[in-house]
CSV table of all heavy atoms in Angstrom, one decimal:
chain,number,residue,atom,x,y,z
A,21,ILE,N,1.9,10.9,10.0
A,21,ILE,CA,1.0,10.0,10.7
A,21,ILE,C,0.4,8.9,9.8
A,21,ILE,O,0.3,7.8,10.2
A,21,ILE,CB,-0.2,10.8,11.3
A,21,ILE,CG1,-1.1,9.9,12.0
A,21,ILE,CG2,-1.0,11.6,10.2
A,21,ILE,CD1,-0.5,9.2,13.3
A,22,ASN,N,0.3,9.2,8.5
A,22,ASN,CA,-0.1,8.3,7.5
A,22,ASN,C,1.0,7.2,7.3
A,22,ASN,O,0.8,6.0,7.1
A,22,ASN,CB,-0.6,8.9,6.2
A,22,ASN,CG,-1.7,9.7,6.4
A,22,ASN,OD1,-2.7,9.3,7.0
A,22,ASN,ND2,-1.7,10.9,5.8
A,23,ASP,N,2.3,7.7,7.3
A,23,ASP,CA,3.4,6.7,7.2
A,23,ASP,C,3.5,5.8,8.3
A,23,ASP,O,3.8,4.6,8.1
A,23,ASP,CB,4.7,7.6,7.0
A,23,ASP,CG,5.3,7.3,5.8
A,23,ASP,OD1,4.9,6.9,4.7
A,23,ASP,OD2,6.7,7.6,5.7
A,24,TYR,N,3.3,6.3,9.6
A,24,TYR,CA,3.4,5.5,10.7
A,24,TYR,C,2.4,4.3,10.6
A,24,TYR,O,2.7,3.2,11.0
A,24,TYR,CB,3.1,6.5,12.0
A,24,TYR,CG,2.9,5.7,13.3
A,24,TYR,CD1,4.0,4.8,13.6
A,24,TYR,CD2,2.0,6.0,14.2
A,24,TYR,CE1,4.0,4.2,14.8
A,24,TYR,CE2,2.0,5.3,15.5
A,24,TYR,CZ,3.0,4.4,15.8
A,24,TYR,OH,3.0,3.8,17.0
A,25,ARG,N,1.2,4.6,10.3
A,25,ARG,CA,0.1,3.7,10.1
A,25,ARG,C,0.5,2.6,9.0
A,25,ARG,O,0.4,1.5,9.1
A,25,ARG,CB,-1.3,4.3,9.8
A,25,ARG,CG,-1.8,5.2,10.9
A,25,ARG,CD,-3.1,5.6,10.4
A,25,ARG,NE,-3.8,6.6,11.4
A,25,ARG,CZ,-4.0,7.8,11.2
A,25,ARG,NH1,-3.6,8.4,10.1
A,25,ARG,NH2,-4.5,8.6,12.1
A,26,LYS,N,1.1,3.2,7.9
A,26,LYS,CA,1.4,2.3,6.8
A,26,LYS,C,2.6,1.4,7.2
A,26,LYS,O,2.4,0.1,6.9
A,26,LYS,CB,1.9,3.2,5.6
A,26,LYS,CG,2.4,2.4,4.4
A,26,LYS,CD,2.7,3.5,3.3
A,26,LYS,CE,3.9,4.2,3.6
A,26,LYS,NZ,4.2,5.2,2.5
A,27,TYR,N,3.6,1.7,7.7
A,27,TYR,CA,4.6,0.9,8.2
A,27,TYR,C,4.2,-0.1,9.2
A,27,TYR,O,4.5,-1.2,9.4
A,27,TYR,CB,5.9,1.6,8.6
A,27,TYR,CG,6.5,2.6,7.6
A,27,TYR,CD1,6.9,3.9,8.0
A,27,TYR,CD2,6.7,2.2,6.3
A,27,TYR,CE1,7.5,4.7,7.0
A,27,TYR,CE2,7.2,3.1,5.3
A,27,TYR,CZ,7.6,4.3,5.7
A,27,TYR,OH,8.2,5.1,4.8
A,28,GLY,N,3.3,0.5,10.1
A,28,GLY,CA,2.8,-0.4,11.2
A,28,GLY,C,2.0,-1.6,10.5
A,28,GLY,O,2.1,-2.7,11.1
A,29,LEU,N,1.3,-1.2,9.5
A,29,LEU,CA,0.4,-2.4,8.8
A,29,LEU,C,1.4,-3.3,8.2
A,29,LEU,O,1.2,-4.5,8.4
A,29,LEU,CB,-0.5,-1.7,7.7
A,29,LEU,CG,-1.2,-2.7,6.9
A,29,LEU,CD1,-2.1,-3.5,7.6
A,29,LEU,CD2,-2.0,-1.9,5.8
A,30,LEU,N,2.4,-2.9,7.5
A,30,LEU,CA,3.4,-3.8,7.0
A,30,LEU,C,4.1,-4.6,7.9
A,30,LEU,O,4.2,-5.8,7.8
A,30,LEU,CB,4.4,-3.0,6.2
A,30,LEU,CG,4.0,-2.4,4.8
A,30,LEU,CD1,5.0,-1.5,4.2
A,30,LEU,CD2,3.6,-3.5,3.8
A,31,ARG,N,4.4,-4.0,9.1
A,31,ARG,CA,5.1,-4.8,10.1
A,31,ARG,C,4.1,-5.8,10.8
A,31,ARG,O,4.6,-7.0,11.1
A,31,ARG,CB,5.6,-3.8,11.2
A,31,ARG,CG,6.9,-3.1,10.9
A,31,ARG,CD,7.3,-2.0,11.8
A,31,ARG,NE,7.3,-2.4,13.1
A,31,ARG,CZ,8.4,-2.9,13.8
A,31,ARG,NH1,9.4,-3.2,13.1
A,31,ARG,NH2,8.4,-3.1,15.1
A,32,ALA,N,2.8,-5.6,10.9
A,32,ALA,CA,1.9,-6.5,11.4
A,32,ALA,C,1.7,-7.7,10.5
A,32,ALA,O,1.6,-8.8,10.9
A,32,ALA,CB,0.5,-5.8,11.7
A,33,ILE,N,1.7,-7.4,9.2
A,33,ILE,CA,1.6,-8.5,8.2
A,33,ILE,C,2.8,-9.3,8.2
A,33,ILE,O,2.7,-10.6,8.2
A,33,ILE,CB,1.4,-7.9,6.7
A,33,ILE,CG1,0.0,-7.2,6.8
A,33,ILE,CG2,1.5,-8.9,5.7
A,33,ILE,CD1,-0.3,-6.4,5.5
A,34,ILE,N,3.9,-8.8,8.2
A,34,ILE,CA,5.2,-9.5,8.1
A,34,ILE,C,5.4,-10.4,9.3
A,34,ILE,O,5.9,-11.5,9.3
A,34,ILE,CB,6.4,-8.6,7.8
A,34,ILE,CG1,6.3,-8.0,6.4
A,34,ILE,CG2,7.8,-9.3,7.9
A,34,ILE,CD1,7.2,-6.8,6.2
A,35,ARG,N,5.0,-9.7,10.4
A,35,ARG,CA,5.2,-10.4,11.8
A,35,ARG,C,4.8,-11.9,11.8
A,35,ARG,O,5.3,-12.8,12.4
A,35,ARG,CB,4.7,-9.6,12.9
A,35,ARG,CG,5.0,-10.1,14.3
A,35,ARG,CD,4.3,-9.2,15.3
A,35,ARG,NE,4.9,-7.8,15.2
A,35,ARG,CZ,4.2,-6.8,15.0
A,35,ARG,NH1,2.9,-6.8,14.8
A,35,ARG,NH2,4.7,-5.5,14.9
A,36,VAL,N,3.6,-12.0,11.2
A,36,VAL,CA,2.9,-13.3,11.3
A,36,VAL,C,3.0,-14.2,10.0
A,36,VAL,O,2.7,-15.4,10.1
A,36,VAL,CB,1.4,-13.3,11.6
A,36,VAL,CG1,1.3,-12.5,13.1
A,36,VAL,CG2,0.6,-12.3,10.6
A,37,SER,N,3.5,-13.6,9.0
A,37,SER,CA,3.5,-14.4,7.7
A,37,SER,C,4.9,-14.7,7.4
A,37,SER,O,5.1,-15.7,6.7
A,37,SER,CB,2.9,-13.5,6.5
A,37,SER,OG,3.8,-12.4,6.4
A,38,GLY,N,5.9,-13.9,7.7
A,38,GLY,CA,7.3,-14.2,7.3
A,38,GLY,C,7.5,-13.9,5.9
A,38,GLY,O,8.5,-14.3,5.3
A,39,PHE,N,6.6,-13.1,5.3
A,39,PHE,CA,6.8,-12.8,3.8
A,39,PHE,C,8.2,-12.1,3.6
A,39,PHE,O,8.5,-11.4,4.3
A,39,PHE,CB,5.7,-11.9,3.4
A,39,PHE,CG,4.3,-12.5,3.2
A,39,PHE,CD1,3.2,-11.8,3.4
A,39,PHE,CD2,4.2,-13.8,2.8
A,39,PHE,CE1,1.9,-12.3,3.3
A,39,PHE,CE2,2.9,-14.4,2.7
A,39,PHE,CZ,1.8,-13.7,2.9
A,40,ARG,N,8.7,-12.4,2.4
A,40,ARG,CA,9.8,-11.7,1.9
A,40,ARG,C,9.2,-10.5,1.1
A,40,ARG,O,8.6,-10.8,0.0
A,40,ARG,CB,10.7,-12.6,0.9
A,40,ARG,CG,11.4,-13.8,1.6
A,40,ARG,CD,12.0,-14.7,0.6
A,40,ARG,NE,10.9,-15.3,-0.2
A,40,ARG,CZ,11.2,-16.0,-1.4
A,40,ARG,NH1,12.4,-16.2,-1.7
A,40,ARG,NH2,10.2,-16.5,-2.0
A,41,LEU,N,9.4,-9.3,1.6
A,41,LEU,CA,8.6,-8.2,1.1
A,41,LEU,C,9.6,-7.4,0.1
A,41,LEU,O,10.7,-7.1,0.4
A,41,LEU,CB,8.4,-7.3,2.3
A,41,LEU,CG,7.8,-5.9,2.1
A,41,LEU,CD1,6.4,-6.0,1.4
A,41,LEU,CD2,7.8,-5.1,3.4
Side-chain angles (χ1 to χ4, degrees):
I21 183 62
N22 296 314
D23 241 19
Y24 178 47
R25 297 182 182 112
K26 175 175 70 180
Y27 297 140
L29 174 61
L30 286 171
R31 280 167 57 82
I33 292 171
I34 294 170
R35 185 180 300 119
V36 295
S37 66
F39 287 149
R40 295 170 297 167
L41 170 68

